[in-house]
Amino acid sequence: MASNTAPSFATHGNPPYVGTDALGTSPLSPAFSPLYQQIKGLILQSLESGEWKPGEAIPSEMDLAARFRVSQGTVRKAIDELSAENLLVRRQGKGTFVATHAEQHVQYRFLKLQPDNGDTQSEGPAERTIIDCKRLRASADIARALSLRSGDPVLQVRRVLAYAGVPTILEELWLPGAPFKGLTAERLSNYKGPMYALFETEFGVRMVRAEESIRAVNPDAEQAQLLNVAITVPLLSVARVAYTYNDTPMELRRGLYRTDTHHYRNALS
């Protein structure tokens, strides 16, 4: 995620002058970050403001170069980084598009549980059962994770994901109440796409990165019943905080993963 050190003078109607001459004569000189990083920051500002919606094409490199008054190579380098971060998607012969969680390759970006035989896409989508969806007041630890105040309204969602009829993942999600006003168990149950795609298309919240911590635990009696395992069976406990633009936390997700037919896999680079 880019830092917010990019100049703040970008507007849609008044293209910023961030070319070499401007940097050499403005108070910004010497620049605190490479020029392409500044352009990356300006593109992120447009993404965050909703100038380009998920799934939409962004302007061409030539148009962006003219808008920001820099070279196409500088724009290309900024877009390369945003593509590597799964915020933009290049399509050969078509242009560059804002990534969306509705796309197949993005759907599993944060789901690292893989079947022992085959891959996530080969086993098909999970069967999802919403246990409950409640509006509550944030406890101290939930508030801290979501950068809220204790007692602020939050939404708690619990669901089970099953593969081939076998309950495999038990999840508990905590969402800030204001951005997700109107989210109900019925709405979650009726939506057939990925949950993050729902957040994106109907609530305008796009998750762009996440942090996870993992440990091995034994389930309690209720958790064991929902996952159809014995309380002595070890499970993976995965706690994830997902962020939207500007590093704003928008979801705390706690998942219990069965590992008798699946394993946790993450590619590091």
Side-chain angles (χ1 to χ4, degrees):
M1 201 70 189
S3 62
N4 292 322
T5 56
S8 60
F9 39 72
T11 63
H12 183 61
N14 184 25
Y17 193 76
V18 296
T20 304
D21 291 343
L23 289 175
T25 58
S26 73
L28 291 175
S29 182
F32 294 102
S33 61
L35 184 56
Y36 81 91
Q37 286 283 353
Q38 297 182 47
I39 300 306
K40 177 183 176 183
L42 294 174
I43 294 173
L44 277 170
Q45 287 179 15
S46 292
L47 292 172
E48 183 179 3
S49 70
E51 179 180 344
W52 310 311
K53 300 292 191 299
E56 290 183 354
I58 69 170
S60 68
E61 291 178 0
M62 182 180 298
D63 289 341
L64 288 173
R67 170 174 171 170
F68 299 134
R69 301 187 186 182
V70 296
S71 70
Q72 283 185 244
T74 299
V75 171
R76 185 174 303 117
K77 193 168 183 180
I79 290 176
D80 284 343
E81 284 206 356
L82 292 168
S83 298
E85 294 170 7
N86 292 307
L87 298 180
L88 297 176
V89 178
R90 292 186 184 276
R91 294 177 184 162
Q92 188 66 33
K94 295 183 179 180
T96 303
F97 295 76
V98 182
T100 168
H101 284 282
E103 294 185 53
Q104 190 72 16
H105 79 283
V106 179
Q107 288 181 19
Y108 301 105
R109 180 180 172 199
F110 298 140
L111 180 60
K112 305 300 183 181
L113 197 68
Q114 303 285 328
D116 292 340
N117 299 315
D119 57 29
T120 306
Q121 297 184 23
S122 68
E123 70 177 356
E127 305 160 35
R128 294 168 292 186
T129 302
I130 304 298
I131 302 169
D132 49 39
C133 180
K134 304 175 183 176
R135 291 199 170 267
L136 305 169
R137 296 291 177 180
S139 62
D141 63 323
I142 300 299
R144 185 166 49 252
L146 294 176
S147 295
L148 302 173
R149 293 173 299 182
S150 293
D152 280 354
V154 291
L155 196 68
Q156 180 200 39
V157 178
R158 291 195 304 159
R159 68 175 186 169
V160 174
L161 305 182
Y163 293 93
V166 179
T168 305
I169 305 173
L170 171 61
E171 289 187 322
E172 179 182 69
L173 289 71
W174 295 87
L175 307 166
F180 294 97
K181 186 177 181 180
L183 183 60
T184 63
E186 182 180 13
R187 203 165 178 182
L188 287 167
S189 298
N190 291 337
Y191 190 83
K192 302 307 179 186
M195 184 177 283
Y196 281 173
L198 171 68
F199 294 169
E200 183 179 278
T201 57
E202 297 193 23
F203 296 92
V205 175
R206 172 160 164 70
M207 306 301 186
V208 299
R209 75 175 188 89
E211 296 176 353
E212 289 186 336
S213 59
I214 304 172
R215 66 179 64 192
V217 301
N218 289 116
D220 61 26
E222 182 187 15
Q223 293 165 344
Q225 182 180 14
L226 289 169
L227 287 174
N228 195 25
V229 296
I231 60 174
T232 55
V233 171
L235 303 173
L236 277 184
S237 172
V238 181
R240 175 200 304 165
V241 177
Y243 299 82
T244 187
Y245 299 110
N246 205 29
D247 273 355
T248 302
M250 294 299 281
E251 178 200 60
L252 170 62
R253 183 178 299 212
R254 294 167 175 166
L256 290 178
Y257 292 39
R258 283 179 57 167
T259 58
D260 48 348
T261 58
H262 289 70
H263 60 276
Y264 190 92
R265 181 178 183 272
N266 196 10
L268 304 177
S269 60

